[in-house]
Amino acid sequence: MAKKRPQTKGKSHVSSGEIPVVGAREPCPCGSGRRYKACHGRSAAHAVTELVQRPFEGLAGEGDWIALRELVPAATVRLTLKESLPEGVPSVTLATVLPMAWPALRRDDGSVLLGLQNDTSSGDLSRDLADTLQRALTAEPGTPVQARRAPADGPRLQDLLDPSAAFEPVVHTGFEFWVPDSQNASPEVAASLERANAAAIPTVKLSGVDGAYWCETPDKNHLRWVMPHPEEQLLDALARLHAAGTSSLGEGTRLVGSFRAHGLTVPVWDLPTGMSAEDVEKPAAEFAERLATALDSAAPLTVEERKARGGLTNRQVTLS
């Protein structure tokens, strides 16, 4: 015979927002008499694991957030909060990655560095980052912030950051921004810095179009461009240009496929090794004009355009 669950006298007056997180097998703090995992833990677990397809939607520079999360080795961005900074916190800076893969760091001077390229425990990257940021603002100066499971009802970045503030990434050649004086860094940090610098791929953000990043690899260079358009509409437009022979960025360049990352599509071009970021600025701006025209077209795809679209779709890779 199955055990009877203990019954409670009267109804609980504790609201869901006040229920603390406890062990899955412990009694639920709401007073229902059931285990947490079978009571309020169900909704909490669902909220933690449900995937948010576009975690950066609504933030200024959504494409750049995605690029810094998935494509750019070393970059920083000064963040502006909706509320004034706490006393003793002179600034908050987003960084692609921090030493020892710390989620965040409160420096000795009180400033905060928030790491973007970290594993997170839930399906909402924005909520995880917001939780880390809030804890960093109150951490002791000179200490890193460790990872944890963010509360399912906690704020998101969209709740904390000023939507009117510009999002302006600064791309670095290395990770010296980790420490004010890299020459006097601790052996642990110095070793991490050396490993990170050795693995960093030279990357430059284009100035003429949004969300586009040139990078240099030993065999060839690439342009990776995070685009804000709906995926199906963008793939149709790219197919129209590809079928017309106008999808390249000049001689020796080729549109080779795309990534799918955090709800947006990232077309990728192969570039000759001698083609610098400066060289690709004008061709990228001209391509943006051709793309705008193709995006406006409502005509059905031709046979050749459907074939081109199928090739682009087959070469699409999902990063997140």
Side-chain angles (χ1 to χ4, degrees), residues 19 47 70 72 75 84 100 109 119-120 122 129 197 240 258 261 268 302 308-309:
I19 303 299
E70 301 294 342
V72 181
S84 59
M100 276 71 76
D109 66 356
D119 293 333
T120 56
S122 83
L129 288 167
N197 282 345
R240 295 181 196 279
S258 63
V268 179
T302 66
R309 193 186 194 283

Side-chain angles (χ1 to χ4, degrees), residues 12-22 28-30 36 40 153:
S12 169
H13 296 287
V14 182
S15 68
S16 296
E18 297 171 343
I19 303 299
V21 176
V22 299
C28 187
C30 77
Y36 178 70
H40 280 85
D153 59 350

Side-chain angles (χ1 to χ4, degrees), residues 16 34 43 89 100 110 122 140 149 176 180 199 210 237 279 299 310 317:
S16 296
R34 290 181 292 170
S43 58
V89 180
M100 276 71 76
S122 83
E140 289 294 322
R149 187 179 73 178
E176 282 73 19
D210 293 333
D279 294 333
V317 176

Side-chain angles (χ1 to χ4, degrees), residues 238-253:
L238 291 173
R240 295 181 196 279
L241 297 178
H242 202 61
T246 58
S247 64
S248 75
L249 299 174
E251 184 178 356
T253 72

Side-chain angles (χ1 to χ4, degrees), residues 78-81 83-92 137:
R78 183 66 65 92
L79 298 180
T80 303
L81 305 189
E83 306 293 336
S84 59
L85 289 172
E87 185 177 355
V89 180
S91 63
V92 174
L137 292 172

Side-chain angles (χ1 to χ4, degrees), residues 7-278:
Q7 301 297 313
T8 58
K9 296 180 180 180
K11 294 182 179 180
S12 169
H13 296 287
V14 182
S15 68
S16 296
E18 297 171 343
I19 303 299
V21 176
V22 299
R25 295 181 178 275
E26 295 180 40
C28 187
C30 77
S32 67
R34 290 181 292 170
R35 290 178 177 178
Y36 178 70
K37 70 175 183 178
C39 191
H40 280 85
R42 284 181 174 176
S43 58
H46 178 71
V48 166
T49 57
E50 186 177 10
L51 179 63
V52 175
Q53 297 289 344
R54 288 180 64 177
F56 305 117
E57 185 176 15
L59 293 173
E62 180 184 7
D64 290 314
W65 277 92
I66 292 172
L68 267 57
R69 166 72 182 185
E70 301 294 342
L71 307 174
V72 181
T76 55
V77 185
R78 183 66 65 92
L79 298 180
T80 303
L81 305 189
K82 287 182 178 179
E83 306 293 336
S84 59
L85 289 172
E87 185 177 355
V89 180
S91 63
V92 174
T93 301
L94 180 73
T96 47
V97 68
L98 295 178
M100 276 71 76
W102 288 328
L105 171 66
R106 180 89 185 273
R107 283 174 157 167
D108 291 334
D109 66 356
S111 61
V112 167
L113 287 178
L114 176 66
L116 182 57
Q117 296 180 11
N118 292 302
D119 293 333
T120 56
S121 59
S122 83
D124 188 351
L125 180 57
S126 177
R127 195 180 308 280
D128 291 331
L129 288 167
D131 177 68
T132 300
L133 174 55
Q134 284 191 313
R135 291 186 291 125
L137 292 172
T138 58
E140 289 294 322
T143 61
V145 174
Q146 302 301 329
R148 76 167 189 182
R149 187 179 73 178
D153 59 350
R156 308 178 73 236
L157 287 173
Q158 289 81 348
D159 301 316
L160 302 182
L161 301 182
D162 182 353
S164 66
F167 189 82
E168 300 176 340
V170 177
V171 179
H172 304 277
T173 57
F175 296 87
E176 282 73 19
F177 63 85
W178 280 353
V179 287
D181 183 6
S182 58
Q183 299 299 320
N184 294 318
S186 68
E188 188 179 32
V189 171
S192 184
L193 179 61
E194 183 178 357
R195 290 193 300 270
N197 282 345
I201 296 173
T203 301
V204 177
K205 175 177 167 56
L206 298 195
S207 60
V209 294
D210 293 333
Y213 290 79
W214 170 95
C215 68
E216 179 183 23
T217 63
D219 296 329
K220 61 187 69 176
N221 299 342
H222 304 280
L223 182 71
R224 300 177 291 188
W225 192 342
V226 187
M227 295 187 171
H229 318 290
E231 181 178 0
E232 297 303 313
Q233 181 186 9
L234 176 58
L235 288 174
D236 281 353
L238 291 173
R240 295 181 196 279
L241 297 178
H242 202 61
T246 58
S247 64
S248 75
L249 299 174
E251 184 178 356
T253 72
R254 185 167 67 99
L255 175 63
V256 293
S258 63
F259 297 124
R260 182 189 291 112
H262 303 290
L264 295 185
T265 303
V266 189
V268 179
W269 285 262
D270 280 351
L271 311 174
T273 54
M275 192 172 194
S276 67
E278 184 178 357

